[in-house]
Amino acid sequence: MKTTRNLFFAFIAVLSFYGATAQENRFIIGGGYAFANIEDTDVRATGYRINGLFEYNPNEGSWAHGFSIGYIGLSGSTDNIQSAEYKTNSWPIYYAPKVMFGKNSFKAYMKGALGMHFSNYKRTGSAADVKVNDIGFYGGLSAGLSKDLGESAFLVLDYEWAYLSNSYLNDGFLNTINLGLGFKF
């Protein structure tokens, strides 16, 4: 009985070790071009995005779980009867599940985004000046390509569509095109 119990615990330990060594962790740092329309105006705001993503890929399969934090800076202006300049900055923090397609060094993927963002909005113009800080929902979808550069590095190119909501961005849609460098460990 004691031998059976010891064999059982040894078997569980080996399985646990196998599961721990079969995972792949990744870190991706990237950035790119971002654009959106400012709510309740005809202004198209453009800018940039910087993003960091940590991913956990259990058993090196086609599904990965990620956590992302980043910065998005947009600005735009209008020269109508009431000229105004708009500037918005957002810090999104979200969970990013990913499904990957392909087994070689070149892969395609689709990724979700579900979280929140901290934002500030500044409008300066002839009619009035407005400055607001707020928190809201961040959700989106992205599609991209990944190309391995070797054993532990890879490049990522993706397009992300996101929905941001808070008191001044009632229905804010954001589009970004990102290029990133990733590391596996």
Side-chain angles (χ1 to χ4, degrees):
M1 183 72 164
K2 187 175 182 182
T3 306
T4 306
R5 184 181 58 189
N6 289 343
L7 285 174
F8 175 75
F9 285 125
F11 180 71
I12 295 297
V14 168
L15 284 180
S16 298
F17 177 73
Y18 173 75
T21 58
Q23 77 182 13
E24 180 180 72
N25 295 320
R26 304 172 184 212
F27 180 74
I28 303 166
I29 185 82
Y33 177 70
F35 58 97
N37 289 330
I38 302 292
E39 183 69 21
D40 297 330
T41 68
D42 293 332
V43 176
R44 182 179 172 105
T46 60
Y48 63 95
R49 176 181 188 158
I50 300 170
N51 203 47
L53 173 67
F54 172 79
E55 288 183 336
Y56 165 73
N57 185 348
N59 298 319
E60 297 182 28
S62 60
W63 286 92
H65 305 279
F67 177 75
S68 180
I69 187 166
Y71 172 79
I72 303 165
L74 301 172
S75 62
S77 63
T78 182
D79 291 325
N80 296 340
I81 296 171
Q82 295 181 357
S83 63
E85 291 188 19
Y86 298 88
K87 185 172 183 178
T88 178
N89 301 309
S90 294
W91 293 268
I93 300 172
Y94 57 88
Y95 168 66
K98 180 192 278 187
V99 61
M100 296 172 277
F101 309 99
K103 298 286 183 191
N104 299 325
S105 68
F106 189 74
K107 296 179 184 171
Y109 65 87
M110 293 194 63
K111 181 176 64 173
L114 182 61
M116 60 189 290
H117 69 103
F118 301 91
S119 296
N120 61 42
Y121 169 85
K122 183 177 181 183
R123 179 197 180 275
T124 57
S126 57
D129 292 345
V130 177
K131 187 173 182 180
V132 179
N133 297 320
D134 208 349
I135 298 172
F137 172 77
Y138 186 94
L141 295 170
S142 68
L145 302 170
S146 173
K147 171 69 174 134
D148 288 346
L149 299 176
E151 289 286 323
S152 61
F154 58 97
L155 282 176
V156 173
L157 176 66
D158 71 8
Y159 166 79
E160 181 175 302
W161 173 87
Y163 171 78
L164 291 80
S165 179
N166 57 25
S167 63
Y168 65 88
L169 283 173
N170 299 328
D171 293 314
F173 296 110
L174 174 74
N175 298 280
T176 59
I177 300 167
N178 298 305
L179 180 64
L181 179 63
F183 302 96
K184 301 175 189 177
F185 53 95

